[in-house]
Amino acid sequence: MVKQEHTLPSRSALGGSGSRSALVFAAGAVALWATNALVGKSLLASHSVSQVQFLQFIGAALVFALIRLIGRDGGRRRMPQDGGAGMSAALVPFAVGIIGLVGTMILQYVAFASMPVIEANLVAYTWPLMVAAAIIVLDRPRRPALLGITAALGFVGVVLVISGGREQSWFQGNLAGYLAAFGSALCMAFYSIVVGRLATSPDRLLLPSALVGVALTFLWCVHDGVAWDIGPYLLAGLYLGAGPMGLGYYFWSRALKLDQGGKVAVVAYLTPIASTLLLTLSGERLTMTAIAGAVLVIGSCIAVGIEGSEAENHA
């Protein structure tokens, strides 16, 4: 009888599989996020921020609840022995979800309503650069200078894509709008850095946060005296919640948990590229300056991806 040897998959094989899965989830999140600005801008033209946000959080809560229901059996975990430690362990993911989901989305849409959406997107999507900077400080990559330069080039590309060829002057919004957009970027950067390090699954993390968002935005609607109408705008608002906010956040959280170095966050630079393409299809023109910015962004992603692959091979 021939003795069969059973071997475990190598670390590199597991890492490669995880990286590919992370890329798929990240691409799904980016595809959904790319529609956020276009749909949100159309809704804010005729609806209040509080109403749009309320519909968003309802849609997101429904998606997170469905995901939680489907994975309920697999998501059961044993209760912690120490009640105090268990309470502390539960509060940390809750706080991360509130900051990452509620903070990011409310501040982003306050910015959308307070300044040109194109500028709000620019400021809000500085969060991947913040994440790249945090990776340089916290994870000590093999070539931090290369990672920093490529991340900076990616940010320059975002600026060119969003602002390239436009005749309007900059800084047309109010100070509160710029502060809200920057605050949104900080919240999302914090979420992207921390969520991959938590043991809590994305559905358990995001559902309570979405429910808090529903409650807060409902009170906001009551304060504003919102008049509700049933129609396509209602469906569009629910889409923003179920798509970019719901599935987008879930896919992104899964990507960050599967990623081994946090470098998948640079894929988020592709979101304004995809948003610009959608705007172009809706009638806006894509200038040569914007095309140059797209090349910088894509080149940045490729360079960081090569750096990540080499780091894994030398691990």
Side-chain angles (χ1 to χ4, degrees):
M1 179 180 294
V2 178
K3 184 178 179 180
Q4 295 182 349
E5 295 183 358
H6 299 276
T7 59
L8 294 175
S10 66
R11 179 183 175 184
S12 61
L14 291 174
S17 177
S19 297
R20 286 191 294 270
S21 298
L23 180 61
V24 171
F25 279 117
V30 167
L32 291 167
W33 287 343
T35 65
N36 181 55
L38 182 62
V39 179
K41 180 181 179 180
S42 65
L43 281 177
L44 290 173
S46 56
H47 292 72
S48 67
V49 180
S50 57
Q51 185 176 16
V52 174
Q53 286 281 274
F54 179 62
L55 292 174
Q56 278 189 291
F57 278 106
I58 287 180
L62 291 174
V63 167
F64 296 145
L66 180 60
I67 293 173
R68 179 76 183 125
L69 181 63
I70 294 174
R72 181 175 53 187
D73 293 336
R76 289 176 180 169
R77 300 183 181 182
R78 59 186 181 87
M79 298 297 291
Q81 298 292 331
D82 188 339
M87 178 64 70
S88 176
L91 288 178
V92 171
F94 181 74
V96 172
I98 293 295
I99 294 172
L101 182 68
V102 181
T104 299
M105 298 307 300
I106 288 182
L107 289 174
Q108 183 184 75
Y109 270 76
V110 168
F112 281 176
S114 305
M115 58 191 289
V117 173
I118 197 167
E119 293 187 20
N121 256 345
L122 170 60
V123 180
Y125 275 100
T126 58
W127 69 261
L129 178 59
M130 299 176 185
V131 172
I135 291 171
I136 295 173
V137 174
L138 299 175
D139 289 349
R140 297 181 181 179
R142 293 178 59 248
R143 289 179 286 191
L146 175 61
L147 186 59
I149 291 172
T150 53
L153 287 175
F155 177 69
V156 171
V158 170
V159 174
L160 293 176
V161 167
I162 295 178
S163 64
R166 295 186 177 272
E167 298 178 355
Q168 67 178 18
S169 62
W170 284 83
F171 302 109
Q172 295 183 355
N174 57 47
L175 179 60
Y178 292 103
L179 291 176
F182 187 73
S184 174
L186 285 175
C187 289
M188 190 60 187
F190 169 78
Y191 180 82
S192 296
I193 294 169
V194 176
V195 71
R197 306 170 189 268
L198 294 177
T200 308
S201 61
D203 55 304
R204 293 170 64 92
L205 178 74
L206 294 169
L207 178 56
S209 305
L211 293 175
V212 170
V214 171
L216 290 177
T217 53
F218 174 75
L219 295 176
W220 192 2
C221 288
V222 172
H223 177 270
D224 290 349
V226 170
W228 295 95
D229 57 338
I230 305 298
Y233 289 107
L234 175 64
L235 297 177
L238 291 175
Y239 163 75
L240 283 175
M245 186 188 291
L247 289 176
Y249 260 84
Y250 179 74
F251 289 163
W252 188 245
S253 301
R254 289 291 303 274
L256 292 173
K257 285 184 174 295
L258 290 169
D259 183 45
Q260 298 299 316
K263 299 178 180 64
V264 74
V266 182
V267 176
Y269 281 133
L270 296 175
T271 304
I273 299 295
S275 298
T276 301
L277 291 176
L278 288 179
L279 291 172
T280 302
L281 291 175
S282 67
E284 304 237 357
R285 64 189 182 92
L286 186 65
T287 66
M288 292 303 298
T289 303
I291 294 174
V295 171
L296 280 178
V297 171
I298 295 173
S300 168
C301 294
I302 294 174
V304 172
I306 293 174
E307 164 68 11
S309 298
E310 291 183 357
E312 288 182 2
N313 292 334
H314 285 82

